[in-house]
């Protein structure tokens, strides 16, 4: 069973999500929170696998709560919920360690599938959504320059693995793409996270886009 915590100040949204998630025999909603502070408390109390986190809540907001949760030992995957996929707050949440984001209007079947993807430790964000978020950021140039400086410290193979993460590929998919074993890919990903001071492969995917590793030539 995948254990889910819902964090949203709107009780109607929580009921809607509970109804969708409850339709799956593989998912259990183990707790709810009305703000970021409650979300952190509920994570410590219920040990969920995935947190669905609203960004805009009274008191402690979703970004702050995401940063606190992802700093825990063995943290759950945090997926932020937003009304619009161009919301710059989403970028802040991803940089704080969120595994990805979903718009609240995501169809039920897709929501269930993406929760399972996040529980498996994979990226919940399409490359096109990542590019759109970065392009619309008010600090796009600053972020690009900082990302390129960090990526410049990597070896060629490390850059290739990072670019694959930017595409949202899983470890088996990266292994097939680069003709490596899955064990070797896991080693590369772990080493990249340490070397770049990141906590989640979604942050690595975002960095790949910010550094332009997936840009078309020319």
């Amino acid at each position: 069973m995948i254990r889910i915590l819902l964090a949203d100040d709107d009780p109607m949204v929580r009921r809607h999500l509970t109804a969708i998630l409850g339709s799956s025999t593989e998912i259990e909603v183990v707790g709810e929170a009305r703000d970021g502070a409650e979300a952190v408390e509920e994570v410590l109390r219920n040990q969920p696998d995935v947190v669905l986190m609203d960004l805009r809540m009274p008191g402690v907001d979703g970004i702050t709560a995401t940063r606190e949760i992802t700093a825990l030992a063995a943290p759950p995957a945090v997926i932020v919920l937003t009304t619009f996929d161009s919301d710059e707050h989403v970028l802040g949440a991803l940089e704080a360690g969120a595994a990805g984001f979903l718009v609240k209007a995501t169809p039920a079947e897709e929501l269930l599938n993406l929760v399972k993807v996040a529980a498996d430790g994979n990226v919940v964000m399409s490359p096109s959504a990542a590019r759109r978020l970065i392009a619309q950021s008010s600090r796009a140039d600053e972020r690009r320059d900082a990302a390129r400086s960090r990526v410049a410290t990597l070896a060629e193979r490390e850059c290739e693995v990072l670019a694959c993460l930017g595409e949202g590929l899983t470890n088996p998919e990266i292994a097939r793409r680069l003709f490596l074993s899955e064990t070797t890919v896991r080693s590369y990903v772990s080493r990249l996270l340490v070397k770049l001071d990141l906590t989640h492969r979604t942050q690595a995917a975002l960095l790949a886009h910010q550094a332009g590793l997936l840009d078309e030539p020319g």
Side-chain angles (χ1 to χ4, degrees):
M1 292 289 285
I2 300 171
R3 297 165 57 83
I4 306 292
L5 171 68
L6 303 177
D8 196 299
D9 63 316
D10 187 336
M12 291 184 64
V13 171
R14 296 199 305 271
R15 283 197 295 271
H16 173 68
L17 291 172
T18 297
I20 292 174
L21 296 169
S23 69
S24 171
T25 58
E26 301 174 66
I27 295 173
E28 178 186 11
V29 176
V30 297
E32 298 183 8
R34 295 168 295 181
D35 58 39
E38 280 191 7
V40 176
E41 292 173 1
E42 290 296 320
V43 166
L44 294 172
R45 179 180 298 112
N46 292 301
Q47 301 293 307
D49 301 303
V50 177
V51 179
L52 296 182
M53 177 81 72
D54 186 27
L55 285 176
R56 292 180 170 85
M57 294 182 288
V60 178
D61 62 31
I63 295 177
T64 301
T66 295
R67 186 174 294 109
E68 291 185 21
I69 289 169
T70 57
L72 298 171
V78 178
I79 304 175
V80 296
L81 300 172
T82 180
T83 304
F84 306 104
D85 65 3
S86 60
D87 189 341
E88 186 167 344
H89 286 82
V90 172
L91 191 57
L94 295 174
E95 291 176 335
F101 73 95
L102 296 173
V103 293
K104 292 184 178 181
T106 298
E109 186 175 347
E110 185 178 350
L111 173 64
L112 293 172
N113 179 61
L114 291 174
V115 164
K116 296 172 187 176
V117 169
D120 286 338
N122 292 309
V123 177
V124 184
M125 174 180 61
S126 70
S128 61
R131 286 192 292 270
R132 187 163 56 250
L133 282 171
I134 292 164
Q136 294 176 353
S137 168
S138 60
R139 296 169 51 215
D141 290 343
E142 178 185 338
R143 283 187 165 104
R144 182 189 63 239
D145 292 343
R148 287 178 174 172
S149 294
R150 294 171 75 182
V151 169
T153 66
L154 302 179
E156 181 178 356
R157 181 61 94 181
E158 290 173 329
C159 284
E160 291 173 346
V161 173
L162 184 61
C164 288
L165 291 175
E167 292 185 54
L169 301 185
T170 63
N171 287 349
E173 290 169 335
I174 296 173
R176 289 192 294 271
R177 170 78 63 84
L178 301 180
F179 303 102
L180 300 170
S181 70
E182 289 185 37
T183 300
T184 300
V185 171
R186 285 195 295 272
S187 177
Y188 267 115
V189 172
S190 297
R191 190 158 64 243
L192 278 172
L193 295 181
V194 172
K195 195 169 185 178
L196 295 170
D197 193 25
L198 303 173
T199 59
H200 196 280
R201 60 194 293 138
T202 300
Q203 290 177 315
L206 191 62
L207 183 66
H209 284 279
Q210 290 172 329
L213 295 186
L214 282 79
D215 292 350
E216 292 294 334

